[in-house]
Short mmCIF file of all heavy atoms in Angstrom, two decimals:
data_model
loop_
_atom_site.label_atom_id
_atom_site.label_comp_id
_atom_site.label_asym_id
_atom_site.label_seq_id
_atom_site.Cartn_x
_atom_site.Cartn_y
_atom_site.Cartn_z
N MET A 2 -38.48 -40.24 -25.90
CA MET A 2 -37.44 -40.73 -25.03
C MET A 2 -37.99 -40.86 -23.57
O MET A 2 -38.74 -40.00 -23.06
CB MET A 2 -36.29 -39.78 -24.96
CG MET A 2 -35.21 -39.97 -24.04
SD MET A 2 -34.02 -38.70 -23.94
CE MET A 2 -33.38 -38.51 -25.50
N ASP A 3 -37.72 -41.86 -22.93
CA ASP A 3 -38.19 -41.87 -21.50
C ASP A 3 -37.29 -40.97 -20.70
O ASP A 3 -36.15 -41.00 -20.60
CB ASP A 3 -37.93 -43.41 -21.11
CG ASP A 3 -38.50 -43.61 -19.77
OD1 ASP A 3 -38.66 -42.71 -18.96
OD2 ASP A 3 -38.97 -44.83 -19.46
N PRO A 4 -38.10 -40.09 -20.04
CA PRO A 4 -37.42 -39.12 -19.26
C PRO A 4 -36.40 -39.66 -18.20
O PRO A 4 -35.47 -39.13 -17.71
CB PRO A 4 -38.41 -38.13 -18.64
CG PRO A 4 -39.81 -39.01 -18.70
CD PRO A 4 -39.48 -39.96 -19.91
N ARG A 5 -36.81 -40.96 -17.72
CA ARG A 5 -35.91 -41.54 -16.69
C ARG A 5 -34.56 -41.84 -17.24
O ARG A 5 -33.68 -42.15 -16.52
CB ARG A 5 -36.67 -42.89 -16.26
CG ARG A 5 -37.82 -42.42 -15.26
CD ARG A 5 -38.57 -43.68 -14.87
NE ARG A 5 -39.15 -44.32 -16.09
CZ ARG A 5 -39.99 -45.35 -16.14
NH1 ARG A 5 -40.27 -45.98 -14.95
NH2 ARG A 5 -40.42 -45.90 -17.13
N ASP A 6 -34.48 -41.93 -18.57
CA ASP A 6 -33.10 -42.26 -19.14
C ASP A 6 -32.31 -40.92 -19.36
O ASP A 6 -31.21 -41.06 -19.90
CB ASP A 6 -33.33 -42.91 -20.47
CG ASP A 6 -33.93 -44.42 -20.24
OD1 ASP A 6 -33.76 -44.87 -19.19
OD2 ASP A 6 -34.55 -44.76 -21.25
N ALA A 7 -32.99 -39.83 -19.16
CA ALA A 7 -32.29 -38.53 -19.45
C ALA A 7 -31.65 -37.94 -18.26
O ALA A 7 -31.36 -36.75 -18.26
CB ALA A 7 -33.27 -37.66 -20.16
N LEU A 8 -31.72 -38.61 -17.15
CA LEU A 8 -31.08 -38.07 -15.92
C LEU A 8 -29.62 -37.68 -16.12
O LEU A 8 -28.80 -38.46 -16.68
CB LEU A 8 -31.21 -38.99 -14.80
CG LEU A 8 -32.59 -39.17 -14.27
CD1 LEU A 8 -32.72 -40.28 -13.11
CD2 LEU A 8 -33.26 -37.89 -13.75
N LEU A 9 -29.18 -36.52 -15.69
CA LEU A 9 -27.85 -36.16 -15.74
C LEU A 9 -27.22 -36.49 -14.33
O LEU A 9 -27.85 -36.45 -13.40
CB LEU A 9 -27.81 -34.64 -15.88
CG LEU A 9 -28.37 -34.04 -17.14
CD1 LEU A 9 -28.23 -32.55 -17.11
CD2 LEU A 9 -27.64 -34.58 -18.38
N GLU A 10 -25.93 -36.90 -14.39
CA GLU A 10 -25.16 -37.11 -13.20
C GLU A 10 -24.12 -35.95 -13.03
O GLU A 10 -23.41 -35.74 -14.04
CB GLU A 10 -24.46 -38.42 -13.22
CG GLU A 10 -25.47 -39.61 -13.11
CD GLU A 10 -24.76 -40.89 -12.91
OE1 GLU A 10 -23.95 -41.06 -12.09
OE2 GLU A 10 -25.20 -41.86 -13.69
N PHE A 11 -24.13 -35.25 -11.94
CA PHE A 11 -23.21 -34.12 -11.80
C PHE A 11 -22.99 -33.86 -10.38
O PHE A 11 -23.84 -34.21 -9.52
CB PHE A 11 -23.73 -32.91 -12.49
CG PHE A 11 -25.22 -32.69 -12.21
CD1 PHE A 11 -25.44 -31.84 -11.08
CD2 PHE A 11 -26.25 -33.02 -12.87
CE1 PHE A 11 -26.77 -31.58 -10.65
CE2 PHE A 11 -27.52 -32.81 -12.55
CZ PHE A 11 -27.71 -32.02 -11.47
N PRO A 12 -21.89 -33.34 -10.01
CA PRO A 12 -21.68 -32.78 -8.51
C PRO A 12 -22.58 -31.59 -8.30
O PRO A 12 -22.56 -30.74 -9.21
CB PRO A 12 -20.22 -32.50 -8.49
CG PRO A 12 -19.79 -32.13 -9.81
CD PRO A 12 -20.64 -32.96 -10.75
N CYS A 13 -23.21 -31.59 -7.23
CA CYS A 13 -24.05 -30.37 -7.00
C CYS A 13 -23.16 -29.21 -6.97
O CYS A 13 -22.17 -29.14 -6.29
CB CYS A 13 -24.77 -30.60 -5.59
SG CYS A 13 -25.47 -29.06 -5.01
N PRO A 14 -23.53 -28.16 -7.61
CA PRO A 14 -22.71 -26.85 -7.63
C PRO A 14 -22.67 -26.13 -6.34
O PRO A 14 -21.88 -25.34 -6.20
CB PRO A 14 -23.38 -26.08 -8.75
CG PRO A 14 -24.83 -26.55 -8.72
CD PRO A 14 -24.68 -28.00 -8.45
N ARG A 15 -23.47 -26.56 -5.44
CA ARG A 15 -23.51 -25.90 -4.07
C ARG A 15 -22.80 -26.70 -3.12
O ARG A 15 -21.88 -26.09 -2.39
CB ARG A 15 -24.91 -25.64 -3.73
CG ARG A 15 -25.16 -24.80 -2.43
CD ARG A 15 -26.58 -24.47 -2.27
NE ARG A 15 -26.69 -23.67 -1.11
CZ ARG A 15 -27.07 -24.07 0.22
NH1 ARG A 15 -27.16 -25.42 0.29
NH2 ARG A 15 -27.30 -23.24 1.14
N CYS A 16 -23.07 -27.93 -2.92
CA CYS A 16 -22.44 -28.77 -1.87
C CYS A 16 -21.55 -29.68 -2.40
O CYS A 16 -20.61 -30.31 -1.70
CB CYS A 16 -23.50 -29.37 -1.00
SG CYS A 16 -24.40 -30.73 -1.81
N GLY A 17 -21.44 -29.98 -3.64
CA GLY A 17 -20.45 -30.91 -4.25
C GLY A 17 -20.83 -32.35 -4.25
O GLY A 17 -20.18 -33.20 -4.73
N THR A 18 -22.02 -32.60 -3.69
CA THR A 18 -22.45 -34.00 -3.59
C THR A 18 -22.92 -34.50 -4.92
O THR A 18 -23.58 -33.77 -5.66
CB THR A 18 -23.62 -34.11 -2.45
OG1 THR A 18 -23.18 -33.71 -1.25
CG2 THR A 18 -24.17 -35.52 -2.51
N GLY A 19 -22.53 -35.75 -5.22
CA GLY A 19 -23.08 -36.29 -6.39
C GLY A 19 -24.60 -36.25 -6.52
O GLY A 19 -25.27 -36.47 -5.55
N SER A 20 -25.11 -35.82 -7.66
CA SER A 20 -26.57 -35.58 -7.79
C SER A 20 -26.89 -36.19 -9.11
O SER A 20 -26.25 -36.23 -10.14
CB SER A 20 -26.86 -34.13 -7.61
OG SER A 20 -28.32 -34.02 -7.85
N ARG A 21 -28.26 -36.67 -9.16
CA ARG A 21 -28.79 -37.01 -10.45
C ARG A 21 -30.12 -36.36 -10.56
O ARG A 21 -30.93 -36.44 -9.76
CB ARG A 21 -29.06 -38.53 -10.46
CG ARG A 21 -27.79 -39.36 -10.51
CD ARG A 21 -28.13 -40.80 -10.70
NE ARG A 21 -28.48 -41.06 -12.09
CZ ARG A 21 -29.04 -42.14 -12.56
NH1 ARG A 21 -29.25 -43.17 -11.70
NH2 ARG A 21 -29.42 -42.27 -13.77
N ASP A 22 -30.21 -35.66 -11.72
CA ASP A 22 -31.53 -34.82 -11.90
C ASP A 22 -31.65 -34.68 -13.46
O ASP A 22 -30.77 -34.99 -14.22
CB ASP A 22 -31.51 -33.61 -11.14
CG ASP A 22 -32.84 -33.14 -10.76
OD1 ASP A 22 -33.87 -33.54 -11.41
OD2 ASP A 22 -32.96 -32.31 -9.81
N ARG A 23 -32.74 -34.27 -13.82
CA ARG A 23 -33.10 -34.00 -15.18
C ARG A 23 -32.44 -32.78 -15.60
O ARG A 23 -32.17 -32.64 -16.89
CB ARG A 23 -34.66 -34.03 -15.46
CG ARG A 23 -35.31 -35.40 -15.23
CD ARG A 23 -36.75 -35.34 -15.35
NE ARG A 23 -37.13 -34.83 -16.71
CZ ARG A 23 -38.37 -34.51 -17.16
NH1 ARG A 23 -39.35 -34.57 -16.26
NH2 ARG A 23 -38.65 -34.12 -18.36
N PHE A 24 -32.12 -31.98 -14.72
CA PHE A 24 -31.49 -30.60 -15.12
C PHE A 24 -30.34 -30.39 -14.12
O PHE A 24 -30.50 -30.57 -13.01
CB PHE A 24 -32.57 -29.57 -15.07
CG PHE A 24 -33.76 -29.67 -16.19
CD1 PHE A 24 -34.83 -30.47 -15.82
CD2 PHE A 24 -33.51 -29.30 -17.46
CE1 PHE A 24 -35.78 -30.68 -16.74
CE2 PHE A 24 -34.42 -29.50 -18.35
CZ PHE A 24 -35.60 -30.11 -18.14
N TYR A 25 -29.33 -29.69 -14.71
CA TYR A 25 -28.22 -29.34 -13.89
C TYR A 25 -28.63 -28.25 -12.88
O TYR A 25 -29.31 -27.21 -13.25
CB TYR A 25 -27.07 -28.78 -14.68
CG TYR A 25 -25.90 -28.42 -14.04
CD1 TYR A 25 -24.93 -29.35 -13.62
CD2 TYR A 25 -25.65 -27.11 -13.75
CE1 TYR A 25 -23.85 -28.89 -12.98
CE2 TYR A 25 -24.54 -26.65 -13.12
CZ TYR A 25 -23.72 -27.58 -12.65
OH TYR A 25 -22.40 -27.22 -11.92
N GLY A 26 -28.13 -28.37 -11.64
CA GLY A 26 -28.47 -27.39 -10.67
C GLY A 26 -28.29 -27.85 -9.30
O GLY A 26 -27.83 -29.13 -9.19
N PRO A 27 -28.56 -27.13 -8.18
CA PRO A 27 -28.37 -27.67 -6.89
C PRO A 27 -29.14 -28.93 -6.66
O PRO A 27 -30.21 -29.17 -7.27
CB PRO A 27 -29.02 -26.50 -6.06
CG PRO A 27 -28.85 -25.33 -6.86
CD PRO A 27 -29.01 -25.80 -8.34
N CYS A 28 -28.54 -29.87 -5.79
CA CYS A 28 -29.35 -31.06 -5.50
C CYS A 28 -30.56 -30.83 -4.75
O CYS A 28 -30.85 -29.64 -4.37
CB CYS A 28 -28.38 -31.95 -4.67
SG CYS A 28 -27.99 -31.35 -3.03
N GLN A 29 -31.44 -31.84 -4.53
CA GLN A 29 -32.66 -31.54 -3.95
C GLN A 29 -32.47 -31.14 -2.49
O GLN A 29 -33.25 -30.27 -2.08
CB GLN A 29 -33.48 -32.92 -3.89
CG GLN A 29 -34.83 -32.73 -3.30
CD GLN A 29 -35.71 -31.79 -4.10
OE1 GLN A 29 -35.88 -32.06 -5.35
NE2 GLN A 29 -36.22 -30.76 -3.55
N THR A 30 -31.49 -31.51 -1.82
CA THR A 30 -31.23 -31.09 -0.43
C THR A 30 -30.88 -29.64 -0.43
O THR A 30 -31.47 -28.88 0.36
CB THR A 30 -29.98 -31.89 0.14
OG1 THR A 30 -30.35 -33.27 0.08
CG2 THR A 30 -29.78 -31.33 1.55
N CYS A 31 -30.05 -29.21 -1.45
CA CYS A 31 -29.72 -27.83 -1.41
C CYS A 31 -30.96 -26.92 -1.89
O CYS A 31 -31.16 -25.85 -1.39
CB CYS A 31 -28.57 -27.51 -2.41
SG CYS A 31 -27.05 -28.04 -1.68
N ARG A 32 -31.74 -27.40 -2.80
CA ARG A 32 -32.89 -26.62 -3.19
C ARG A 32 -33.76 -26.48 -1.98
O ARG A 32 -34.30 -25.45 -1.84
CB ARG A 32 -33.56 -27.47 -4.21
CG ARG A 32 -32.92 -27.08 -5.62
CD ARG A 32 -33.73 -27.76 -6.69
NE ARG A 32 -33.45 -29.20 -6.75
CZ ARG A 32 -34.07 -29.95 -7.67
NH1 ARG A 32 -34.81 -29.49 -8.61
NH2 ARG A 32 -33.78 -31.24 -7.66
N ASP A 33 -33.93 -27.53 -1.17
CA ASP A 33 -34.80 -27.42 -0.01
C ASP A 33 -34.40 -26.40 0.88
O ASP A 33 -35.04 -25.56 1.48
CB ASP A 33 -35.01 -28.79 0.62
CG ASP A 33 -35.79 -29.80 -0.10
OD1 ASP A 33 -36.50 -29.28 -1.06
OD2 ASP A 33 -35.68 -30.94 0.19
N GLN A 34 -32.92 -26.45 1.12
CA GLN A 34 -32.38 -25.47 2.01
C GLN A 34 -32.44 -24.01 1.49
O GLN A 34 -32.75 -23.11 2.19
CB GLN A 34 -30.81 -25.78 2.17
CG GLN A 34 -30.67 -27.09 2.99
CD GLN A 34 -29.20 -27.48 3.17
OE1 GLN A 34 -28.38 -26.89 2.55
NE2 GLN A 34 -28.99 -28.49 3.98
N LEU A 35 -32.23 -23.89 0.28
CA LEU A 35 -32.27 -22.58 -0.40
C LEU A 35 -33.71 -22.01 -0.22
O LEU A 35 -33.86 -20.88 -0.03
CB LEU A 35 -31.81 -22.62 -1.86
CG LEU A 35 -30.30 -22.86 -2.02
CD1 LEU A 35 -30.04 -23.22 -3.45
CD2 LEU A 35 -29.57 -21.53 -1.63
N VAL A 36 -34.64 -22.89 -0.57
CA VAL A 36 -36.03 -22.37 -0.40
C VAL A 36 -36.30 -21.92 0.98
O VAL A 36 -36.90 -20.86 1.22
CB VAL A 36 -37.01 -23.45 -0.87
CG1 VAL A 36 -38.40 -23.17 -0.45
CG2 VAL A 36 -36.88 -23.71 -2.38
N ALA A 37 -35.79 -22.81 1.96
CA ALA A 37 -36.12 -22.52 3.47
C ALA A 37 -35.47 -21.17 3.76
O ALA A 37 -35.97 -20.49 4.47
CB ALA A 37 -35.63 -23.59 4.22
N THR A 38 -34.18 -20.97 3.35
CA THR A 38 -33.41 -19.84 3.76
C THR A 38 -33.81 -18.58 2.96
O THR A 38 -33.47 -17.48 3.38
CB THR A 38 -31.95 -20.17 3.65
OG1 THR A 38 -31.57 -20.34 2.25
CG2 THR A 38 -31.47 -21.21 4.54
N SER A 39 -34.37 -18.71 1.84
CA SER A 39 -34.71 -17.62 1.02
C SER A 39 -36.19 -17.26 1.13
O SER A 39 -36.58 -16.37 0.54
CB SER A 39 -34.24 -17.76 -0.40
OG SER A 39 -34.99 -18.85 -0.97
N ALA A 40 -36.96 -18.02 1.78
CA ALA A 40 -38.36 -17.79 1.82
C ALA A 40 -38.67 -16.50 2.41
O ALA A 40 -38.15 -16.01 3.43
CB ALA A 40 -39.01 -18.92 2.82
N GLY A 41 -39.42 -15.70 1.62
CA GLY A 41 -39.88 -14.31 2.09
C GLY A 41 -38.74 -13.38 1.77
O GLY A 41 -38.89 -12.19 2.00
N GLN A 42 -37.56 -13.71 1.25
CA GLN A 42 -36.50 -12.77 0.87
C GLN A 42 -36.45 -12.65 -0.67
O GLN A 42 -37.64 -12.73 -1.36
CB GLN A 42 -35.16 -13.36 1.29
CG GLN A 42 -35.14 -13.47 2.85
CD GLN A 42 -33.86 -13.97 3.30
OE1 GLN A 42 -32.84 -14.06 2.61
NE2 GLN A 42 -33.77 -14.37 4.62
N ALA A 43 -35.35 -12.40 -1.26
CA ALA A 43 -35.12 -12.10 -2.50
C ALA A 43 -36.04 -12.80 -3.52
O ALA A 43 -37.08 -12.27 -3.80
CB ALA A 43 -33.63 -12.45 -2.89
N ARG A 44 -35.62 -13.82 -4.11
CA ARG A 44 -36.45 -14.41 -5.20
C ARG A 44 -36.41 -15.93 -5.10
O ARG A 44 -35.71 -16.65 -5.87
CB ARG A 44 -36.08 -13.96 -6.61
CG ARG A 44 -36.32 -12.59 -6.84
CD ARG A 44 -35.81 -12.21 -8.25
NE ARG A 44 -34.30 -12.37 -8.36
CZ ARG A 44 -33.66 -12.35 -9.58
NH1 ARG A 44 -34.28 -12.11 -10.57
NH2 ARG A 44 -32.38 -12.67 -9.54
N PRO A 45 -37.17 -16.48 -4.16
CA PRO A 45 -37.17 -17.99 -4.00
C PRO A 45 -37.58 -18.69 -5.21
O PRO A 45 -37.20 -19.90 -5.47
CB PRO A 45 -38.14 -18.14 -2.76
CG PRO A 45 -38.87 -16.97 -2.74
CD PRO A 45 -38.08 -15.79 -3.31
N ALA A 46 -38.22 -18.08 -6.13
CA ALA A 46 -38.71 -18.74 -7.37
C ALA A 46 -37.52 -19.22 -8.10
O ALA A 46 -37.64 -20.25 -8.96
CB ALA A 46 -39.58 -17.81 -8.22
N ASP A 47 -36.36 -18.40 -8.16
CA ASP A 47 -35.23 -18.88 -8.94
C ASP A 47 -34.76 -20.24 -8.44
O ASP A 47 -34.13 -20.98 -9.28
CB ASP A 47 -34.08 -17.86 -8.64
CG ASP A 47 -34.36 -16.58 -9.39
OD1 ASP A 47 -35.30 -16.51 -10.15
OD2 ASP A 47 -33.65 -15.65 -9.23
N VAL A 48 -34.85 -20.49 -7.21
CA VAL A 48 -34.35 -21.77 -6.69
C VAL A 48 -35.11 -22.97 -7.20
O VAL A 48 -34.60 -24.06 -7.56
CB VAL A 48 -34.47 -21.88 -5.18
CG1 VAL A 48 -33.98 -23.16 -4.53
CG2 VAL A 48 -33.67 -20.74 -4.55
N GLY A 49 -36.37 -22.91 -7.24
CA GLY A 49 -37.22 -24.00 -7.74
C GLY A 49 -37.49 -24.00 -9.20
O GLY A 49 -38.49 -24.74 -9.58
N ARG A 50 -36.75 -23.23 -9.99
CA ARG A 50 -37.13 -23.16 -11.36
C ARG A 50 -36.46 -24.19 -12.24
O ARG A 50 -36.48 -24.14 -13.36
CB ARG A 50 -36.84 -21.79 -11.89
CG ARG A 50 -37.49 -21.37 -13.20
CD ARG A 50 -37.24 -19.94 -13.54
NE ARG A 50 -38.10 -19.09 -12.57
CZ ARG A 50 -38.00 -17.78 -12.60
NH1 ARG A 50 -37.22 -17.14 -13.36
NH2 ARG A 50 -38.65 -17.06 -11.73
N PHE A 51 -35.89 -25.25 -11.60
CA PHE A 51 -35.23 -26.26 -12.43
C PHE A 51 -36.41 -27.19 -12.87
O PHE A 51 -36.38 -28.37 -12.42
CB PHE A 51 -34.13 -26.96 -11.68
CG PHE A 51 -33.04 -26.03 -11.34
CD1 PHE A 51 -33.04 -25.36 -10.17
CD2 PHE A 51 -32.08 -25.85 -12.30
CE1 PHE A 51 -31.95 -24.45 -9.95
CE2 PHE A 51 -30.97 -24.92 -11.99
CZ PHE A 51 -30.93 -24.25 -10.88
N GLU A 52 -37.13 -26.77 -13.72
CA GLU A 52 -38.31 -27.51 -14.08
C GLU A 52 -38.31 -27.87 -15.65
O GLU A 52 -37.46 -27.30 -16.25
CB GLU A 52 -39.62 -26.73 -13.86
CG GLU A 52 -39.89 -26.38 -12.41
CD GLU A 52 -40.16 -27.60 -11.59
OE1 GLU A 52 -40.75 -28.54 -12.12
OE2 GLU A 52 -39.97 -27.50 -10.40
N PRO A 53 -39.01 -28.86 -16.00
CA PRO A 53 -38.90 -29.20 -17.40
C PRO A 53 -39.14 -27.97 -18.41
O PRO A 53 -38.71 -28.02 -19.49
CB PRO A 53 -40.06 -30.21 -17.68
CG PRO A 53 -40.22 -30.80 -16.21
CD PRO A 53 -39.84 -29.65 -15.32
N ALA A 54 -39.73 -26.89 -17.98
CA ALA A 54 -40.19 -25.81 -18.78
C ALA A 54 -38.84 -24.87 -18.88
O ALA A 54 -38.86 -24.01 -19.84
CB ALA A 54 -41.18 -24.99 -18.25
N MET A 55 -37.78 -25.22 -18.15
CA MET A 55 -36.52 -24.40 -18.38
C MET A 55 -35.97 -24.36 -19.67
O MET A 55 -35.90 -25.46 -20.31
CB MET A 55 -35.60 -24.85 -17.25
CG MET A 55 -34.36 -23.88 -17.06
SD MET A 55 -33.36 -24.51 -15.72
CE MET A 55 -32.13 -23.20 -15.68
N HIS A 56 -35.66 -23.14 -20.24
CA HIS A 56 -35.24 -23.21 -21.57
C HIS A 56 -33.78 -23.51 -21.81
O HIS A 56 -33.48 -23.77 -22.93
CB HIS A 56 -35.42 -21.72 -22.01
CG HIS A 56 -34.52 -20.68 -21.34
ND1 HIS A 56 -34.81 -20.18 -20.16
CD2 HIS A 56 -33.40 -20.23 -21.75
CE1 HIS A 56 -33.83 -19.43 -19.72
NE2 HIS A 56 -33.01 -19.33 -20.67
N VAL A 57 -33.07 -23.64 -20.69
CA VAL A 57 -31.58 -24.09 -20.92
C VAL A 57 -31.58 -25.52 -21.18
O VAL A 57 -32.14 -26.31 -20.58
CB VAL A 57 -30.77 -23.76 -19.65
CG1 VAL A 57 -29.35 -24.20 -19.78
CG2 VAL A 57 -30.78 -22.30 -19.38
N VAL A 58 -30.77 -25.86 -22.24
CA VAL A 58 -30.57 -27.28 -22.54
C VAL A 58 -29.48 -27.89 -21.55
O VAL A 58 -28.46 -27.34 -21.52
CB VAL A 58 -30.05 -27.43 -24.00
CG1 VAL A 58 -29.76 -28.83 -24.37
CG2 VAL A 58 -31.03 -26.80 -24.96
N PRO A 59 -29.89 -28.95 -20.86
CA PRO A 59 -29.00 -29.46 -19.92
C PRO A 59 -27.56 -29.72 -20.34
O PRO A 59 -26.54 -29.44 -19.71
CB PRO A 59 -29.61 -30.75 -19.45
CG PRO A 59 -30.98 -30.41 -19.81
CD PRO A 59 -31.14 -29.58 -21.00
N ASN A 60 -27.39 -30.37 -21.54
CA ASN A 60 -26.12 -30.62 -22.01
C ASN A 60 -25.27 -29.36 -22.23
O ASN A 60 -24.07 -29.51 -22.06
CB ASN A 60 -26.21 -31.45 -23.28
CG ASN A 60 -26.52 -32.98 -23.10
OD1 ASN A 60 -26.57 -33.27 -21.89
ND2 ASN A 60 -27.16 -33.58 -24.06
N GLN A 61 -25.87 -28.37 -22.65
CA GLN A 61 -25.02 -27.09 -22.97
C GLN A 61 -24.54 -26.63 -21.61
O GLN A 61 -23.43 -26.22 -21.53
CB GLN A 61 -25.93 -26.12 -23.59
CG GLN A 61 -26.23 -26.38 -25.00
CD GLN A 61 -27.10 -25.27 -25.60
OE1 GLN A 61 -27.62 -24.49 -24.98
NE2 GLN A 61 -26.99 -25.29 -27.02
N VAL A 62 -25.30 -26.70 -20.64
CA VAL A 62 -24.89 -26.19 -19.29
C VAL A 62 -23.91 -27.09 -18.70
O VAL A 62 -22.84 -26.69 -18.13
CB VAL A 62 -26.01 -26.15 -18.33
CG1 VAL A 62 -25.63 -25.75 -16.86
CG2 VAL A 62 -27.19 -25.19 -18.87
N ALA A 63 -24.03 -28.38 -18.96
CA ALA A 63 -23.10 -29.36 -18.29
C ALA A 63 -21.63 -29.35 -18.95
O ALA A 63 -20.72 -29.59 -18.29
CB ALA A 63 -23.68 -30.74 -18.41
N THR A 64 -21.64 -28.96 -20.26
CA THR A 64 -20.36 -29.09 -20.91
C THR A 64 -19.61 -27.71 -21.08
O THR A 64 -18.52 -27.68 -21.55
CB THR A 64 -20.61 -29.70 -22.31
OG1 THR A 64 -21.53 -28.80 -23.02
CG2 THR A 64 -21.16 -31.08 -22.15
N LYS A 65 -20.16 -26.64 -20.61
CA LYS A 65 -19.54 -25.36 -20.94
C LYS A 65 -18.47 -24.89 -20.00
O LYS A 65 -17.74 -24.00 -20.22
CB LYS A 65 -20.68 -24.25 -20.81
CG LYS A 65 -21.10 -23.83 -19.42
CD LYS A 65 -22.04 -22.66 -19.52
CE LYS A 65 -22.49 -22.24 -18.12
NZ LYS A 65 -23.43 -21.08 -18.12
N GLU A 66 -18.22 -25.74 -18.99
CA GLU A 66 -17.26 -25.46 -18.08
C GLU A 66 -16.31 -26.71 -17.79
O GLU A 66 -16.62 -27.71 -18.19
CB GLU A 66 -17.67 -25.00 -16.70
CG GLU A 66 -18.81 -25.83 -16.06
CD GLU A 66 -19.23 -25.18 -14.86
OE1 GLU A 66 -19.00 -24.01 -14.52
OE2 GLU A 66 -20.13 -25.87 -14.18
ZN1 ZN B 104 -26.29 -29.89 -2.90
#
């Protein structure tokens, strides 16, 4: 499957802006902000972990609520 065809469309859970990404989560803008605001604090790694290696199946996340 071409990964470009697998993009999810969803409202960003943080700011509500429509977002398209391969995995459900904060939009790129929010991720940037979260990284910036959490840098040196708690666990910034959680913010940037929406990577292909993530074990959560996008469709399960998107449909559970
Ligand atoms: Zn956002």
